Amino acid sequence: MTRSGPSSTGPAVTRLAPYDFAAPWGATSFVTDLDGPVHWIEFSPAEGQGQGIPVVFVHGLGGSHLNWCLIGPALAAGRRVVALDLHGFGLTPGLRANSTVQANARLLDRFITEVIGTPVILVGNSMGGLICILETAANPGAVKGVVLIDPALPLPVQKPDWQVSGQFLLYTLPGLAPLVVARLLSSVSPEEAVQQLIKLCFADPSRADPEMTKAEVALAARRHPANAPQASARARIFLAAARSLLRVLARRGSFYAKMAGIDVPVLLIGGEADRLVAVAAIRQAAERNPHWESVILAGVGHVPQLEVPDVAAGTIRDWLSRHFSSGE
């Protein structure tokens, strides 16, 4: 299957991808050439699909399209629902130069313009939430609404989580960071890597969906570095994304202005037990932007869409129903 999407510079050629990691959740994989292959999935439409505004999911640092499979089907009623892999993550290849948050914001804009072809509702988690903010601020005509799920935010002054703070401090160290991260990537199995992420991102790891964990391990095995050069390349890509994220957050005034300038409906969802984005940062963002809607989920960590998917999907569907009619 080959198809073309709208583009001002020529058709964006899209093909079926030779992957099926998301198939158990009714999603089909595609690859589109946007100056290189970009992998994305589309959830099968529910019965009676209408012409609602499309939803585009944007994953976080170290994430992938799989992060959205537990809520994608529930939102694919009345609208098109897709999830892309950013440069350097999931099944989209990347380089250090194009894996920054700024470069991936530009990729997201091209994806909206050349693959979707109409304004969208963005749903982003963690780094993906930050990228959604950058895209909405830079190209407001491309976005009709935004859902931010534990987005990366400037942290208020408070007692830090030393394990998390230590990791991000490591990312800033020149010379040492690439060596240490590459060694970490090559020293753990795919199973261990996935379990480590679950422990870090879930308030209650027992909530992890077994089928999703299996798919995450399979995807990690495909990406798992088989040798030192591959691990080193992955480390450079990961650090480029992490460091660019930290630089954006360090410019607090500029980032606050971007958030305040968003004039479309915004839903902010935070996990009260999130170790990566403290709930105090979520509450601070809500206070700074009283026109946003905010929901704090008790006993939930950094990825509500994976830990409590029914709650996350229901919260988003309720917000959609109140702000966008069935034909929007």
Side-chain angles (χ1 to χ4, degrees):
M1 174 181 176
T2 301
R3 64 187 186 187
S4 297
S7 170
S8 60
T9 59
V13 177
T14 296
R15 297 181 175 85
L16 284 171
Y19 316 115
D20 61 357
F21 297 104
W25 297 276
T28 303
S29 287
F30 298 95
V31 172
T32 297
D33 183 9
L34 298 174
D35 295 331
V38 174
H39 175 262
W40 56 282
I41 62 171
E42 181 162 1
F43 293 94
S44 299
E47 288 293 327
Q49 183 180 24
Q51 300 298 317
I53 300 171
V55 167
V56 176
F57 291 123
V58 189
H59 65 76
L61 185 66
S64 76
H65 62 282
L66 288 178
N67 292 174
W68 304 106
C69 286
L70 299 186
I71 69 170
L75 299 182
R79 65 186 73 247
R80 188 179 185 190
V81 176
V82 306
L84 80 158
D85 285 335
L86 299 170
H87 280 310
F89 299 96
L91 295 167
T92 298
L95 302 169
R96 182 167 55 183
N98 68 4
S99 298
T100 65
V101 293
Q102 295 88 350
N104 272 318
R106 292 191 292 272
L107 170 64
L108 175 60
D109 189 63
R110 285 196 66 185
F111 183 82
I112 294 170
T113 301
E114 301 183 32
V115 176
I116 306 302
T118 62
V120 303
I121 295 165
L122 293 176
V123 181
N125 173 230
S126 193
M127 179 185 77
L130 181 146
I131 288 172
C132 290
I133 291 170
L134 296 181
E135 164 63 3
T136 306
N139 303 289
V143 182
K144 292 290 189 179
V146 183
V147 179
L148 303 171
I149 303 177
D150 290 279
L153 293 168
L155 294 177
V157 177
Q158 62 175 36
K159 182 179 179 180
D161 182 311
W162 291 111
Q163 179 184 350
V164 173
S165 298
Q167 286 183 355
F168 280 92
L169 178 61
L170 168 65
Y171 299 157
T172 67
L173 299 177
L176 179 63
L179 297 175
V180 174
V181 173
R183 181 171 295 179
L184 289 173
L185 289 173
S186 61
S187 65
V188 297
S189 68
E191 292 82 0
E192 291 169 331
V194 170
Q195 289 301 323
Q196 287 175 4
L197 281 174
I198 290 173
K199 288 179 64 177
L200 180 64
C201 295
F202 282 53
D204 181 357
S206 70
R207 292 174 176 156
D209 180 88
E211 190 73 16
M212 174 54 62
T213 299
K214 181 180 176 181
E216 293 277 11
V217 170
L219 178 58
R222 188 184 186 282
R223 289 175 46 82
H224 192 63
N227 52 51
Q230 290 183 26
S232 180
R234 281 189 62 200
R236 289 193 297 270
I237 289 169
F238 181 88
L239 288 170
R243 288 169 170 172
S244 66
L245 182 154
L246 293 174
R247 285 193 294 269
V248 170
L249 295 180
R251 295 190 284 271
R252 288 173 177 256
S254 174
F255 193 62
Y256 288 147
K258 286 180 171 61
M259 289 195 292
I262 296 175
D263 63 359
V264 297
V266 176
L267 171 63
L268 175 64
I269 300 174
E272 191 175 44
D274 189 345
R275 297 176 60 191
L276 293 167
V277 178
V279 69
I282 300 291
R283 292 189 171 118
Q284 178 178 263
E287 290 172 2
R288 283 180 166 272
N289 301 278
H291 55 293
W292 293 6
E293 294 185 34
S294 60
V295 176
I296 305 296
L297 302 177
V300 177
H302 188 59
V303 286
Q305 76 275 20
L306 290 173
E307 188 171 0
V308 287
D310 291 344
V311 174
T315 301
I316 296 170
R317 290 181 68 176
D318 174 69
W319 175 81
L320 288 170
S321 70
R322 286 184 287 104
H323 290 278
F324 304 97
S325 67
S326 59
E328 293 184 312

